[in-house]
Amino acid sequence: VAGLQAARSLKARGFDVNVFEKAPDVGGLWRENYVSSGIQIRKNFYGMLDSEVTFGDWASTSDIQTYVKSFADKHQLRPTISFNTTVDRVQPRQDGERGWVFEVTEADGRKATHTLDFAVISPGIYSEHPNMPALPGKETFKGEILHSSQFLSEDAVKGKRVVVIGGGKSAMDIAKVASKAGTSSELVYREPHWITPTSILGLIPTEWIFMSRLGQSLVESCKGAWPDAGWRPKLAHTLLSPVMRGVFGLLGMIFAAQRNHYNDFKPEKDFVADFYNVPQLQSTEFTNMVSKGEITATRSTVAKVTESGVVLASGREVPCDVVICATGFTSAYPFFDKATEDTLGMQSDGLYLYKHLLAPQVPDLAFVGAEASTLENSVTYGLQAEWLARVLVGGVTLPSAEAMQADVEKFKTWKRSWMPESPYRSAIILAHMVHYHDSLLEDMGLSPFRKSPNVLAEMFAPYTYKDYSGIVGAELAK
């Protein structure tokens, strides 16, 4: 999704675009993902810029894949893509000229080298680097141990006893599938996370709270204003934070009642802080299945694996035939040379970039859809791609490298002041996305108020992909 939108915006400016894609087709995780995966938001919040959605709410992986393929065809992007091509190494040119040398393995296994002027890294935030727990004793297990990204068919759990490790959406989705197709399903989670209902008390769609300017203001008043938001949000935070903490505390009580967040399933972090760690929207199906005994949910960790199952930290043995680790992915760019890797300065909580796009000390390099996570990723990546394209043709003027680095440090300090520590903290934007989108639009000389002149809609209605129609290449038509 990110790479395609980057290719579209760059191609619109006449750049000679070369896309290297490891898979045999477009789509990324939507081309191949775990059984029952799909979007956890309504359809209008997953559209790409200028491309009408062709799927329904809570769409499946295959529905999204069809949509992504149609986007690539509509904008004639396939000729720019080398499929079944693995990027082995990316390093700066050694002849004193600016640019990059890409070493790749092509579909037929041959090695090839491409010298290019600019590098755009767009692997998505769910990369091909699965995060697998250590699981002592796994070599003795007579069953099968999978990462969630390898769980591609129900046949893997049919008629089997299944243990799922993890506490996020994918873990709960897989536990549901295992319960229906297998003989038993146990979810082992280290820490419970808030499940955000799709609607509040069955009355207010959640996106009206978290995907609007109003919702952004509420979150800012509680946890802190976006550093570039100006003095008004910062004053509101100073004055209203005690009140808003109470409001979100009440909201947490409502969500607890709606999703049975009690006892071992009661999160330790407050709702907003946890949302900025593991955001997830879910129906009541998982918690209903737990209540009925169809899924066993156990707060613990796996101490070791035996021939016939797993042993939890409590000492309890859980016999099983399949262990599925829904433990996410690691953020890594192993193809960079050591000098570039060191200059980028990846930290334990991620890679901090200017505007979530540029590394100030590494010229001719950008990350689109790699280090940014919002509630509408497809829209965010489209705006990032357009911003970058305008930077490259001189439509957006960048500050000095020193000023960009100072901005990076400012955001790093802000995030670390209140967001929970995680390997992806650098990328997290989430409910602050409206301000992030505003900043990209303002850099491009465009109005951020996309619903104007409807003041009520501007303040209270959630933003969707349709609000950003006509932005890509708009200046070319003038």
Side-chain angles (χ1 to χ4, degrees):
V1 171
L4 290 176
Q5 294 193 87
R8 178 200 173 189
S9 284
L10 293 168
K11 184 169 173 278
R13 270 71 181 195
F15 288 106
D16 181 11
V17 178
N18 296 267
V19 179
F20 302 116
E21 172 56 59
K22 184 177 181 180
D25 201 356
V26 299
L29 68 89
W30 302 119
R31 186 190 66 81
E32 186 177 78
N33 205 351
Y34 66 85
V35 176
S36 82
S37 63
I39 57 173
Q40 53 182 322
I41 50 178
R42 291 179 173 84
K43 63 180 182 180
N44 281 341
F45 305 101
Y46 204 80
M48 290 189 279
L49 305 190
D50 306 313
S51 191
E52 189 73 23
V53 296
T54 56
F55 48 83
D57 293 338
W58 328 117
S60 68
T61 294
S62 60
D63 291 334
I64 303 298
Q65 168 67 348
T66 299
Y67 174 68
V68 174
K69 290 168 70 172
S70 70
F71 180 89
D73 294 334
K74 174 183 176 181
H75 297 290
Q76 300 177 10
L77 299 177
R78 288 184 183 274
T80 70
I81 307 172
S82 298
F83 291 108
N84 296 304
T85 299
T86 302
V87 175
D88 301 315
R89 188 172 177 81
V90 179
Q91 62 181 351
R93 292 177 60 166
Q94 302 299 305
D95 57 4
E97 299 294 324
R98 292 179 62 170
W100 296 86
V101 176
F102 281 69
E103 297 175 9
V104 304
T105 301
E106 297 178 331
D108 58 5
R110 290 187 298 180
K111 302 289 185 179
T113 300
H114 300 263
T115 301
L116 303 167
D117 298 313
F118 197 95
V120 181
I121 310 301
S122 297
I125 55 175
Y126 305 106
S127 71
E128 69 273 19
H129 304 290
N131 177 41
M132 288 291 285
L135 300 180
K138 62 184 178 183
E139 66 281 354
T140 67
F141 187 50
K142 292 185 177 180
E144 189 172 19
I145 298 176
L146 303 171
H147 185 265
S148 57
S149 60
Q150 299 172 303
F151 178 48
L152 304 177
S153 170
E154 284 188 12
D155 291 342
V157 298
K158 191 168 290 183
K160 297 179 180 178
R161 301 164 299 173
V162 183
V163 167
V164 182
I165 302 172
K169 180 182 182 296
S170 61
M172 295 179 190
D173 287 346
I174 292 170
K176 291 186 291 186
V177 174
S179 173
K180 296 170 184 176
T183 59
S184 68
S185 174
E186 180 155 353
L187 177 73
V188 179
Y189 61 96
R190 181 175 53 196
E191 178 185 359
H193 299 288
W194 289 96
I195 300 174
T196 305
T198 54
S199 64
I200 300 170
L201 293 174
L203 300 173
I204 305 171
T206 303
E207 58 263 25
W208 283 77
I209 299 297
F210 294 108
M211 298 185 183
S212 65
R213 290 191 182 278
L214 170 65
Q216 177 176 268
S217 299
L218 295 176
V219 172
E220 286 184 331
S221 297
C222 177
K223 290 295 184 180
W226 186 253
D228 288 342
W231 64 270
R232 290 184 181 86
K234 293 175 183 177
L235 178 62
H237 169 63
T238 301
L239 297 177
L240 299 178
S241 57
V243 176
M244 293 314 303
R245 282 196 294 270
V247 170
F248 278 102
L250 176 61
L251 193 62
M253 292 172 63
I254 294 172
F255 287 179
Q258 286 188 260
R259 292 297 181 267
N260 198 28
H261 279 300
Y262 301 112
N263 301 318
D264 279 352
F265 204 51
K266 181 180 180 181
E268 295 174 359
K269 299 181 181 71
D270 67 80
F271 168 72
V272 177
D274 191 63
F275 188 79
Y276 275 75
N277 183 23
V278 184
Q280 53 182 328
L281 278 75
Q282 291 245 33
S283 69
T284 58
E285 184 181 17
F286 172 79
T287 49
N288 287 345
M289 291 178 75
V290 172
S291 297
K292 294 176 183 176
E294 296 170 356
I295 295 173
T296 301
T298 304
R299 184 174 184 176
S300 187
T301 57
V302 173
K304 65 178 180 178
V305 180
T306 66
E307 287 187 0
S308 57
V310 300
V311 178
L312 304 183
S314 64
R316 182 167 71 89
E317 227 176 306
V318 183
C320 63
D321 307 299
V322 182
V323 177
I324 302 177
C325 302
T327 44
F329 296 82
T330 59
S331 181
Y333 305 101
F335 43 76
F336 280 126
D337 63 288
K338 182 66 164 56
T340 299
E341 201 173 69
D342 290 344
T343 305
L344 285 172
M346 175 76 78
Q347 302 185 29
S348 62
D349 56 349
L351 178 59
Y352 286 88
L353 301 169
Y354 176 70
K355 300 277 186 179
H356 290 263
L357 279 154
L358 302 178
Q361 308 305 325
V362 184
D364 307 316
L365 173 68
F367 296 78
V368 173
E371 296 292 338
S373 176
T374 72
L375 299 177
E376 295 184 62
N377 282 331
S378 55
V379 170
T380 299
Y381 302 160
L383 293 176
Q384 284 189 321
E386 183 63 10
W387 182 91
L388 175 62
R390 296 191 187 208
V391 166
L392 294 181
V393 297
V396 172
T397 302
L398 295 176
S400 67
E402 292 74 20
M404 286 193 286
Q405 188 61 45
D407 190 80
V408 170
E409 295 301 323
K410 176 175 65 177
F411 274 85
K412 182 195 301 182
T413 299
W414 175 70
K415 289 188 176 190
R416 289 178 173 176
S417 71
W418 70 276
M419 291 185 188
E421 185 173 359
S422 76
Y424 289 102
R425 180 163 55 187
S426 61
I428 292 174
I429 301 170
L430 295 178
H432 285 81
M433 70 180 181
V434 178
H435 266 151
Y436 177 62
H437 292 170
D438 287 354
S439 72
L440 297 178
L441 292 168
E442 288 167 349
D443 286 351
M444 292 186 275
L446 301 172
S447 171
F449 303 110
R450 312 305 299 174
K451 298 178 183 291
S452 181
N454 189 331
V455 177
L456 291 177
E458 187 66 59
M459 190 62 199
F460 298 106
Y463 264 77
T464 76
Y465 75 102
K466 294 181 179 180
D467 292 308
Y468 301 97
S469 296
I471 285 175
V472 177
E475 85 282 10
L476 302 177
K478 294 180 180 178

